[in-house]
């Protein structure tokens, strides 16, 4: 698939409604998407929900566990109300 647009950590996309958050660890180029107005983060594989808590995905499937933990802290620090995780559904504060 050809790339339509390259994005970087901190870039604003979708008419400045969404900020790109670099969240490497699970994979090297993983990103999450933060929608401040909606107080929501699409975490993708940067987080899973287990026992009503946001955690990194299974460490056995992370390319770099230390970076995955840093990325999880980074998206938690956004203090969003909703986190949408690829594995595990929706986490709501």
């Amino acid at each position: 698939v050809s790339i339509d647009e390259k994005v970087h950590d901190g870039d604003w996309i979708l008419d400045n409604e969404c900020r790109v958050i670099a969240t490497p660890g699970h994979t090297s180029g993983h990103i999450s998407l933060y929608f401040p107005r909606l107080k929501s983060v699409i975490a993708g594989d940067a987080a899973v929900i287990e026992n009503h808590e946001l955690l990194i995905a299974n460490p056995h499937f992370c390319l770099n566990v230390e970076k995955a933990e840093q990325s999880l802290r980074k998206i938690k620090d956004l203090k969003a109300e909703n986190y949408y995780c690829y594995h595990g559904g929706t986490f709501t504060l």
Side-chain angles (χ1 to χ4, degrees):
V1 175
S2 62
I3 296 172
D4 294 310
E5 180 179 347
K6 277 189 174 183
V7 294
H8 301 91
D9 190 40
D11 285 356
W12 287 90
I13 59 173
L14 302 174
D15 296 324
N16 291 322
E17 293 288 329
C18 175
R19 190 171 65 166
V20 174
I21 308 295
T23 50
H26 182 73
T27 59
S28 61
H30 191 278
I31 63 169
S32 297
L33 302 174
Y34 175 47
F35 294 83
R37 197 167 54 84
L38 300 174
K39 299 177 184 162
S40 297
V41 173
I42 298 174
D45 282 336
V48 296
I49 302 164
E50 291 182 12
N51 298 320
H52 307 289
E53 188 177 355
L54 281 176
L55 302 171
I56 64 167
N58 184 328
H60 298 290
F61 296 105
C62 287
L63 294 179
N64 186 318
V65 173
E66 185 178 321
K67 283 186 178 182
E69 290 170 347
Q70 291 170 355
S71 293
L72 181 64
R73 280 192 300 276
K74 189 175 183 180
I75 61 173
K76 281 183 169 182
D77 287 348
L78 296 170
K79 304 216 186 299
E81 292 178 5
N82 304 293
Y83 291 84
Y84 299 95
C85 305
Y86 180 69
H87 302 284
T90 304
F91 179 79
T92 303
L93 294 177

